[in-house]
Amino acid sequence: MFRKLTVALGLATATMAFGAPAQALLFDQNVTPDVIFGTGNSNGFWTVDRNNNVEVGLRGKIRYQGVYNSQGNGTYTFDTGSSNVPPSSAALWNYEFAINVNLNGSPGGRTLADVDIVLSIDTDPGLGQSWISFNPFAAWTDNAVGDNSTGNGGGVDGTDIGVWGPLSVAQNSQNLGWTLGALSIPFDYDLAATYDFRLAVFDPGLIGQVENPVPLALTEMTVEVGGGAIPEPSSLALLGAGLAGLVYVRRRNRRASSI
């Protein structure tokens, strides 16, 4: 779980650290109430945390195919390359997020205006990590919003707080090859790569004011593209040296046991 990263709630960076909830993630789940963005998008295969009457979910999907390639452990695997569907910069896979801050639908429960939401993306295609973090409502105006009564594809665009603030559910489907607000992500859909994603919901006012603020709910997933990131030559050399040492130790032990 994540400890320290760069957070850009309004697409302006700030450094913070925070703790993680104790509840284990659930895999290949449905989200509540359904998938409310677009039309005809099926539910299922979400990596979910449900805690404190908040549900957060992440998943990967092949664009326009409804194929999720979940490995059942929070990892999703896809081929390299473009989807050949505009825009031309898009990878063939999307990352999707879902937030419900009033999971049981109780009257007078939390709304989206009552929480802080942080979506974090590891933009390093290699085995290292380089995080950007932001509030999805600061990045996009087309987030689908609704409540527990919203049906499949029935979300409306959350263009301003007057629309999304009173509601409790927000979802979207995005692509690393698309523009992310004012932030630019260096991205090559032809690279074998590994990307990590994290989604957290906080009580308001904790970020920037409380050391290690604990989210109400937190989920994370990994997307492996083209078999995942390939170790750099220096890493391979270290790995080889380690294996050679292991073989030497094993041979030495074997000789000693035969004496």
Side-chain angles (χ1 to χ4, degrees):
M1 295 298 183
F2 53 129
R3 293 293 180 212
K4 191 158 188 172
L5 61 150
T6 300
V7 169
L9 283 179
L11 297 179
T13 59
T15 300
M16 64 171 288
F18 54 91
Q23 187 157 320
L25 296 182
L26 303 171
F27 305 114
D28 294 345
Q29 300 289 300
N30 288 336
V31 292
T32 308
D34 201 334
V35 175
I36 67 171
F37 55 80
T39 56
N41 291 298
S42 61
N43 211 339
F45 298 102
W46 295 89
T47 298
V48 165
D49 180 34
R50 299 185 184 105
N51 221 339
N52 297 302
N53 200 32
V54 174
E55 177 185 78
V56 285
L58 290 166
R59 71 178 180 183
K61 181 186 73 177
I62 299 179
R63 294 183 68 197
Y64 296 103
Q65 293 187 27
V67 176
Y68 305 98
N69 290 353
S70 169
Q71 305 305 298
N73 60 357
T75 299
Y76 301 79
T77 59
F78 304 102
D79 292 334
T80 58
S82 169
S83 64
N84 296 318
V85 178
S88 59
S89 60
L92 62 82
W93 57 275
N94 279 4
Y95 62 95
E96 300 184 334
F97 64 86
I99 304 155
N100 187 330
V101 299
N102 186 17
L103 184 58
N104 64 13
S106 59
R110 288 190 194 93
T111 69
L112 293 169
D114 294 329
V115 298
D116 288 331
I117 301 167
V118 180
L119 177 61
S120 303
I121 304 174
D122 166 27
T123 62
D124 185 341
L127 296 178
Q129 292 183 329
S130 179
W131 292 96
I132 60 169
S133 300
F134 53 92
N135 183 333
F137 286 102
W140 303 295
T141 59
D142 64 344
N143 298 298
V145 294
D147 57 27
N148 283 10
S149 67
T150 305
N152 183 268
V156 298
D157 283 355
T159 54
D160 56 59
I161 194 169
V163 174
W164 60 261
L167 299 173
S168 56
V169 175
Q171 300 177 7
N172 211 336
S173 183
Q174 290 290 340
N175 193 290
L176 288 183
W178 298 345
T179 301
L180 175 58
L183 296 175
S184 176
I185 298 178
F187 176 69
D188 182 347
Y189 54 63
D190 283 327
L191 282 179
T194 299
Y195 300 103
D196 295 307
F197 298 80
R198 294 164 175 167
L199 178 63
V201 172
F202 294 87
D203 277 327
L206 294 183
I207 295 176
Q209 299 182 27
V210 177
E211 185 177 358
N212 297 321
V214 176
L216 296 167
L218 161 69
T219 187
E220 56 188 354
M221 73 170 179
T222 297
V223 173
E224 294 181 348
V225 184
I230 300 172
E232 297 178 0
S234 58
S235 300
L236 288 171
L238 289 172
L239 176 62
L243 290 175
L246 180 61
V247 170
Y248 172 75
V249 169
R250 286 181 174 174
R251 285 178 177 171
R252 186 174 181 181
N253 287 344
R254 191 175 295 132
R255 176 189 284 177
S257 63
S258 63
I259 293 175

